Amino acid sequence: MSPNRWLAFIGLKGLRLLSLLITISILSFWLVNFSPIDPIQAYVGADMLRVSPEQRLEIAAYWGLNDPPVERMLRWGSALIQGDLGTSMIYRIPVSEVIRERFLNSLALMGVSWLLSGVIGFVLGVAAAMRRGTWLDRLIKNYCYLLASTPTFWMALLLLLVFAVWLGWFPVGLGVPAGVLSEDVTLSDRIQHLILPAITLSIIGVSTIALHTRQKLIDVLDSDFILFARARGERGLRLFWRHGLRNIALPALTLQFTSFGELFGGAVLAEQVFSYPGLGQATVDAGLRGDVPLLLGLVLFSALFVFTGNLIADLLYRLVDPRLKEETIR
């Protein structure tokens, strides 16, 4: 692809991202405005009975809750253009700091889960395709079909009950040990609290990549050049390594990058079950307690996160597939 085409491609993607963020901002603000949750009551919490009507009016005036929705949205949008996401009503700190702190925890969780699900799914898909029609193939397919229909929160509860409650191998929840100062928390403690949530997301994410890799490799094995390679005596792993791997690695990797949306959605449920301090739990807390600035910031960040995964997948295809290198930008 020529430099002009690359510039046009990047420019088009930038315009799509901008329009996506604007649309999501408007829809999210409009939906939050119709939420039945009283933000003042959620802000005050259990002390609501001690708050006088005058104090309630002062709180509403401080956060601009009495202003018209359009005015509040324009004020939030103008601050957003300047890089200010506002202040969280729950944590009393800038939204950007909440996202940065929680994202580091979620990044570790989603990164480990992303790698494990990709590697395990790819290996299972290759094994099923190479042993097509055997008991191993049927076992892997049934296993993937079962996982594809399993809710993330149910799998999280099952693993929590078995490995944390019954066996006691892992902590019940949280991201670090309870009652321990932050400077005393070790890397081993963080890893121990990360294992169960990461395994939950990895198990759920295996099915898609495994089934896709299996079908793609079966198509490759049924092609004419594989028939010619077998006629020359190539079998088993040698056949796969020389002729199958290069044809299925890129589609599998691309599919893995496009799974960012499912990964983020699964992380929300897994973090809630394990009380893991990541973006998922912050999103649930912001929604249940009417923290509009934090909720809008998290929505925009998650949209940017998913868009980045899809963009990387698109770039990989265009860099490798010769049929897309000179494709006209649409």
Side-chain angles (χ1 to χ4, degrees):
M1 186 182 292
S2 63
N4 292 334
R5 289 182 179 272
W6 274 116
L7 290 176
F9 174 76
I10 297 299
L12 181 60
K13 289 294 184 180
L15 290 176
R16 289 179 178 176
L17 175 60
L18 181 62
S19 62
L20 174 66
L21 294 180
I22 293 175
T23 303
I24 289 178
S25 300
I26 296 175
L27 290 177
S28 300
F29 205 97
W30 180 74
L31 291 174
V32 170
N33 186 57
F34 288 95
S35 173
I37 298 175
D38 184 0
I40 299 179
Q41 183 174 358
Y43 176 80
V44 176
D47 296 331
M48 189 64 191
L49 296 177
R50 302 179 182 178
V51 176
S52 65
E54 293 77 13
Q55 291 175 322
R56 182 184 177 91
L57 291 176
E58 290 181 2
I59 295 174
Y62 177 81
W63 291 104
L65 299 176
N66 292 330
D67 298 334
V70 176
E71 181 180 343
R72 286 188 283 124
M73 181 176 179
L74 291 177
R75 184 169 59 247
W76 176 79
S78 61
L80 178 63
I81 295 176
Q82 301 174 9
D84 183 11
L85 293 175
T87 302
S88 171
M89 298 175 64
I90 300 176
Y91 301 101
R92 282 33 170 210
I93 59 176
V95 171
S96 57
E97 293 185 14
V98 178
I99 294 178
R100 180 170 59 251
E101 178 183 350
R102 295 301 184 99
F103 177 66
L104 293 177
N105 294 328
S106 292
L107 182 63
L109 172 60
M110 291 187 290
V112 173
S113 305
W114 186 78
L115 290 175
L116 288 178
S117 62
V119 173
I120 296 174
F122 186 79
V123 172
L124 291 179
V126 170
M130 297 297 290
R131 296 292 183 268
R132 177 175 41 168
T134 64
W135 66 269
L136 180 61
D137 181 26
R138 292 190 295 271
L139 178 63
I140 293 176
K141 285 195 300 180
N142 293 333
Y143 173 71
C144 292
Y145 291 148
L146 179 62
L147 290 181
S149 58
T150 301
T152 303
F153 71 90
W154 185 87
M155 180 62 68
L157 289 173
L158 180 63
L159 295 179
L160 181 65
L161 182 64
V162 174
F163 294 102
V165 178
W166 290 352
L167 299 178
W169 292 354
F170 301 101
V172 175
L174 304 179
V176 295
V180 179
L181 297 177
S182 58
E183 57 267 20
D184 296 332
V185 177
T186 64
L187 180 60
S188 175
D189 294 331
R190 296 183 182 276
I191 293 177
Q192 192 176 15
H193 284 76
L194 177 68
I195 291 177
L196 277 185
I199 291 178
T200 300
L201 293 181
S202 301
I203 292 177
I204 297 298
V206 160
S207 58
T208 302
I209 189 70
L211 292 175
H212 177 83
T213 302
R214 174 188 177 277
Q215 186 58 48
K216 186 67 177 178
L217 183 55
I218 287 177
D219 294 339
V220 172
L221 294 176
D222 290 339
S223 58
D224 293 336
F225 72 92
I226 293 294
L227 180 62
F228 179 73
R230 284 175 171 170
R232 293 188 304 175
E234 297 185 21
R235 294 287 188 277
L237 290 179
R238 182 185 177 188
L239 177 68
F240 166 74
W241 184 261
R242 295 189 59 183
H243 305 286
L245 179 61
R246 68 182 67 180
N247 290 286
I248 65 172
L250 179 63
L253 184 61
T254 305
L255 181 65
Q256 187 69 356
F257 275 105
T258 57
S259 65
F260 274 21
E262 298 177 3
L263 182 65
F264 189 88
V268 172
L269 299 175
E271 289 177 6
Q272 188 66 15
V273 172
F274 291 101
S275 298
Y276 191 81
L279 290 177
Q281 189 181 35
T283 303
V284 175
D285 292 340
L288 293 179
R289 300 181 62 180
D291 192 341
V292 178
L294 179 57
L295 185 61
L296 292 176
L298 290 169
V299 168
L300 291 179
F301 185 82
S302 61
L304 182 62
F305 179 79
V306 175
F307 185 89
T308 301
N310 293 332
L311 178 61
I312 294 175
D314 200 357
L315 289 175
L316 284 176
Y317 256 128
R318 291 178 179 274
L319 286 172
V320 178
D321 195 334
R323 294 171 297 180
L324 296 177
K325 285 184 177 181
E326 298 300 329
E327 185 185 60
T328 303
I329 302 296
R330 297 193 299 269

